[in-house]
Amino acid sequence: MDLSIIIVNYNVKEFLQNLLTSIIKASSRLLVETIVVDNASDDGSVEMLKQYFPSVKLIASSVNLGFSKANNLGLKEAKGKYILLLNPDTLVSENTFEVMINFLRQHPEVGMAGCKILNPDGTLQLACRRSFPGIWTSFCKVTGLGSLFPNSRIFARYNLTYLNENKTYEVDAISGSFMMIRRELYESIGGLDEQFFMYGEDLDWCYRTQKAGFKVFYVHSTQIIHYKGESTKRSSIDETRIFYGAMRLFVRKHLAVSFLGEAILSSAISAREFLAFFGRWKLTFWAMLIDFLVFDISLYLSERSYQYFNYWRGFPDSADIYVYLLPVTFHIFIGILAGNYSREKLSILRTSFATAASFFFLSAILYFFKDFGYSRAVLLMAYFGALMLSVVWRIAAKIGAGIGIDNNMYASKKTVVVGTTAIAQKIVEKLNASNTHTNIVAGFIGNTHKELGQKLQGVEIIGTVENIRKVVEERNISEIIFSVDDLSYSKMMKIVSAMQHSGVDFKVAGSNMQYLVGKTEVSLLDDIPLVELSYNLFHPSNRIIKRLFDIVIALIIIFLLRPAAALFLKKPGNREEYHRIVYNTGSVLRGSWSIVGAKEPSEKEEQIIGKPGLTGLWFTEEEDSQSREKLNIFYARNHNIWLDVEIVSKTFMKIFMR
């Protein structure tokens, strides 16, 4: 047996299925056994393995054993001369196993090796080559010196960013997502330390490898893609707490040469843990802090204004600490209860509700504590000012900096499918019929320039693999979908690697075309569109806000923009589009049309996708009739005021600036 591959799976069925398909292609000239240890998955992983991959040796655990224990079960069953620990959320190239085995054969001093690991966006996954967390290394990591000076041998030791990722060299540690070892090394040092539930066990294994007299190497000549963290997304564990707990365990086990050294490293780990926690909740913390300042600024200005116009003495000096601390604390607390402080979004509606609720609750409380009810007028002014300022800074953050917006709510995204075979065409057909995949298919990517301009089922071949980067840039492509039957894994990874930092989401269509695997989600292709889906457009609060938005924008168009037509519009086509919008605003005021909506829907369609609109995604995206229908449904499902603002902005930019 040349190679034993051990995969620990937890609820990542689609990723595992794609990985096993890639393993089959990469094992054609080797004698390989694949062992999957399933950690009590409930997503159908076990059933999928039995149905599609009966040759895989399955060890199904009834409980979640964690990464170390599960891998050790597989290690005990392994028969190969070489052993590979491989994460289920990875894809391997056709040459990966052969390259790594040949490297180990040619370098007997190397006991363990890892390959080049790419993130789904094509960037290098830094954990695939790193140093042990010593005192100085940890200090540079925690303080950010390593990130500030990525090319410095002094400061960037932990992630080794000063080293060329396209060269092979010895390192302290490699990633647990891909670790290939010799059998004799395993027999010498044993399996993973089961004290580590998850995280840290790879560092520990690398450390023990070097203590046993073997070297650990990073090999650049083959690469895999690792989606990273997919299992933890599907579990209830706190991965941040477990990760930093594992780092503390590693320090105590291997690096605690003195009490002072252990204290320094533990402090560094705690500091890094706090920064990680803050990073996850930074929008929440900043929102609370700004609201705190906004409330007290409003209260101070209200106090001074009321003093000036009513000859009021103001709050007693002795009460300042209570006046400027307790009400704002209560205000923030009400905001927390109202769900106003999200990790990802800034909500205007929740802010308004929380401010109103806080005012009424605080007014009621002060009724019973009249000694502190210095002035209800000042309180009212303060809350009104706080509401205005809170809304203004949130709008500024959303529009000016793009902060706090749910980027998945916008449909201005385009997809290309790499391939032109019947399989690729079937993928496009399913994408267009899918109710969950909202991107618009812009075209196919072919293999030769002779195919350019041809149409397959009405969809054009717009580029080749050779010029795919140019196609992405010129057509604002957001997503590239690979078919495993049209392109080799090696070619896929070359494309991904060449397009790092492009911002494109790469997805792989499963071999049975029932799903797409990407860095952010698994999208089902065989969904059934249901009329009774919950559409945001028809929520009562959204309907009220949308109606107010329609009236305001319609009045602005009537009184401010009608005269602009004769002054600024020179192109006949632009003038027609402008007139169509401007001179139909009366229908918006009457309520029969909306500023943003569907394109001339029937009465029956209005019940599903809303009123006809003067503009909409159908206008800003300029897609065909099939795509237009999909955009209308997407708009109804995902409507919010910010989507309307974006569409209106794009509409007038399109008319006035092109």
Side-chain angles (χ1 to χ4, degrees):
M1 183 71 65
D2 296 317
L3 177 66
S4 295
I5 303 171
I6 300 169
I7 304 167
V8 174
N9 176 68
Y10 180 72
N11 285 330
V12 287
K13 177 182 68 175
E14 293 84 5
F15 289 91
L16 177 61
Q17 186 168 346
N18 270 10
L19 169 61
L20 293 173
T21 302
S22 71
I23 286 175
I24 292 171
K25 291 188 175 183
S27 307
S28 59
R29 293 187 292 184
L30 295 169
L31 188 57
V32 174
E33 66 171 351
T34 303
I35 303 169
V36 174
V37 184
D38 186 81
N39 265 336
S41 298
D42 57 6
D43 67 340
S45 292
V46 171
E47 292 77 8
M48 180 274 293
L49 287 170
K50 291 178 179 178
Q51 180 178 357
Y52 295 111
F53 302 96
S55 62
V56 168
K57 185 169 186 178
L58 172 64
I59 302 174
S61 172
S62 59
V63 295
N64 188 348
L65 300 171
F67 189 76
S68 298
K69 286 185 178 180
N71 267 303
N72 285 344
L73 287 180
L75 285 166
K76 291 174 183 176
E77 299 294 327
K79 302 294 191 298
K81 183 178 180 181
Y82 299 95
I83 302 172
L84 172 65
L85 303 192
L86 186 62
N87 273 24
D89 52 353
T90 58
L91 286 174
V92 298
S93 301
E94 281 83 355
N95 69 345
T96 295
F97 302 150
E98 292 184 55
V99 168
M100 296 303 295
I101 289 174
N102 288 336
F103 178 83
L104 290 174
R105 284 173 178 166
Q106 294 166 13
H107 298 84
E109 75 281 6
V110 178
M112 179 184 295
C115 68
K116 185 177 183 179
I117 302 178
L118 302 177
N119 291 308
D121 63 0
T123 56
L124 182 72
Q125 201 161 102
L126 297 180
C128 70
R129 36 141 223 198
R130 50 188 163 154
S131 298
F132 296 128
I135 294 176
W136 175 248
T137 303
S138 298
F139 174 79
C140 293
K141 176 72 173 175
V142 171
T143 58
L145 287 171
S147 299
L148 192 61
F149 303 103
N151 298 318
S152 169
R153 289 180 175 270
I154 298 175
F155 299 120
R157 278 202 52 77
Y158 184 74
N159 288 129
L160 302 175
T161 48
Y162 60 88
L163 294 176
N164 188 342
E165 67 182 67
N166 294 315
K167 289 187 177 180
T168 296
Y169 34 74
E170 183 180 3
V171 294
D172 281 350
I174 55 177
S175 170
S177 58
F178 186 102
M179 305 180 86
M180 187 175 286
I181 69 169
R182 301 177 182 278
R183 167 161 291 280
E184 54 264 38
L185 173 62
Y186 166 61
E187 292 173 350
S188 173
I189 67 173
L192 302 176
D193 187 341
E194 296 183 2
Q195 292 182 84
F196 297 92
F197 179 82
M198 187 174 66
Y199 303 124
E201 69 290 313
D202 48 0
L203 283 175
D204 176 76
W205 223 24
C206 291
Y207 194 91
R208 287 157 53 200
T209 294
Q210 294 179 32
K211 286 293 183 182
F214 287 91
K215 293 181 179 181
V216 177
F217 258 71
Y218 162 78
V219 180
H220 81 282
S221 48
T222 186
Q223 55 195 6
I224 69 169
I225 292 177
H226 181 206
Y227 291 93
K228 194 175 183 180
E230 291 301 324
S231 291
T232 57
K233 291 178 185 177
R234 293 156 172 76
S235 71
S236 59
I237 65 172
D238 185 344
E239 65 268 22
T240 301
R241 180 182 60 81
I242 291 178
F243 175 80
Y244 288 101
M247 292 302 99
R248 291 188 182 91
L249 175 58
F250 180 81
V251 167
R252 286 197 303 270
K253 182 176 178 181
H254 297 299
L255 303 179
V257 294
S258 66
F259 174 78
L260 179 61
E262 182 179 356
I264 293 173
L265 286 172
S266 295
S267 299
I269 292 170
S270 297
R272 189 68 187 176
E273 183 176 11
F274 172 77
L275 291 175
F277 176 79
F278 180 80
R280 292 169 60 196
W281 293 91
K282 62 183 177 182
L283 184 61
T284 297
F285 290 138
W286 280 115
M288 287 182 180
L289 177 61
I290 295 173
D291 280 351
F292 190 99
L293 295 174
V294 158
F295 186 95
D296 274 353
I297 289 171
S298 178
L299 182 58
Y300 176 81
L301 294 176
S302 299
E303 178 191 6
R304 292 291 179 262
S305 299
Y306 200 68
Q307 277 183 284
Y308 182 79
F309 290 107
N310 294 279
Y311 305 103
W312 179 53
R313 294 182 178 181
F315 300 126
D317 292 340
S318 59
D320 276 352
I321 189 171
Y322 304 107
V323 169
Y324 285 97
L325 182 61
L326 294 182
V328 68
T329 302
F330 179 80
H331 175 64
I332 298 296
F333 178 71
I334 292 294
I336 294 172
L337 294 180
N340 188 34
Y341 299 108
S342 166
R343 280 169 50 181
E344 293 89 17
K345 293 183 288 185
L346 295 171
S347 172
I348 306 296
L349 191 62
R350 288 183 185 273
T351 297
S352 304
F353 172 77
T355 303
S358 174
F359 170 74
F360 286 114
F361 277 120
L362 188 59
S363 298
I365 291 172
L366 291 177
Y367 179 81
F368 297 100
F369 296 92
K370 297 185 183 297
D371 291 343
F372 297 95
Y374 299 111
S375 173
R376 294 186 183 277
V378 171
L379 185 66
L380 179 61
M381 291 168 59
Y383 265 99
F384 180 78
L387 175 59
M388 293 299 101
L389 291 174
S390 297
V391 169
V392 165
W393 84 254
R394 281 171 167 81
I395 291 175
K398 285 171 176 279
I399 296 178
I403 298 172
I405 297 176
D406 184 359
N407 292 321
N408 292 325
M409 297 299 292
Y410 303 105
S412 53
K413 299 177 182 178
K414 297 180 180 179
T415 294
V416 291
V417 174
V418 180
T420 57
T421 64
I423 299 295
Q425 294 177 48
K426 188 67 175 177
I427 292 171
V428 170
E429 181 184 332
K430 288 196 172 192
L431 290 174
N432 286 330
S434 171
N435 199 34
T436 57
H437 187 277
T438 54
N439 287 15
I440 302 304
V441 178
F444 291 100
I445 298 295
N447 291 311
T448 66
H449 288 85
K450 292 181 180 179
E451 299 174 293
L452 291 178
Q454 296 180 21
K455 287 192 175 183
L456 304 174
Q457 297 186 357
V459 179
E460 187 178 351
I461 301 174
I462 59 175
T464 66
V465 172
E466 182 181 337
N467 74 337
I468 189 170
R469 174 180 281 277
K470 187 175 181 181
V471 171
V472 166
E473 292 173 351
E474 291 181 349
R475 296 181 179 253
N476 296 317
I477 302 300
S478 302
E479 181 182 70
I480 295 175
I481 296 178
F482 299 111
S483 166
V484 296
D485 293 311
D486 282 83
L487 205 67
S488 70
Y489 288 97
S490 296
K491 286 186 178 179
M492 288 183 204
M493 290 176 202
K494 284 181 181 178
I495 293 173
V496 172
S497 181
M499 297 186 63
Q500 55 181 277
H501 305 300
S502 63
V504 176
D505 185 13
F506 297 93
K507 291 186 176 179
V508 179
S511 56
N512 57 9
M513 293 187 298
Q514 292 178 343
Y515 57 85
L516 299 173
V517 170
K519 65 178 180 180
T520 57
E521 62 180 349
V522 174
S523 305
L524 297 180
L525 290 179
D526 288 328
D527 65 304
I528 301 174
L530 299 176
V531 173
E532 53 271 6
L533 284 170
S534 177
Y535 288 176
N536 285 352
L537 184 63
F538 300 107
H539 288 181
S541 60
N542 283 356
R543 294 179 72 173
I544 294 172
I545 293 172
K546 183 170 180 59
R547 182 60 184 148
L548 292 174
F549 177 83
D550 282 347
I551 293 172
V552 170
I553 299 299
L555 291 174
I556 290 174
I557 291 174
I558 289 172
F559 291 108
L560 296 180
L561 296 183
R562 277 192 178 181
L567 296 175
F568 300 107
L569 295 173
K570 297 180 180 179
K571 293 184 179 180
N574 288 21
R575 188 180 294 273
E576 290 176 9
E577 292 172 348
Y578 184 82
H579 283 188
R580 176 182 56 80
I581 293 174
V582 168
Y583 292 103
N584 283 290
T585 47
S587 299
V588 175
L589 292 176
R590 289 191 296 271
S592 57
W593 281 55
S594 179
I595 293 291
V596 180
K599 184 172 184 179
E600 302 175 358
S602 65
E603 290 184 10
K604 184 177 181 181
E605 288 174 327
E606 276 193 36
Q607 299 175 9
I608 301 174
I609 58 179
K611 297 177 183 177
L614 301 183
T615 186
L617 291 171
W618 53 268
F619 178 74
T620 59
E621 302 301 320
E622 286 189 335
E623 301 298 339
D624 57 33
S625 58
Q626 187 177 19
S627 299
R628 187 180 302 139
E629 180 182 356
K630 193 171 184 180
L631 286 170
N632 286 336
I633 293 175
F634 175 86
Y635 173 77
R637 290 179 60 191
N638 298 280
H639 166 264
N640 65 46
I641 189 65
W642 301 109
L643 184 54
D644 279 357
V645 169
E646 183 187 37
I647 292 170
V648 170
S649 300
K650 283 186 175 181
T651 296
F652 285 103
M653 286 179 66
K654 183 176 176 181
I655 292 175
F656 282 103
M657 299 184 68
R658 78 178 183 184

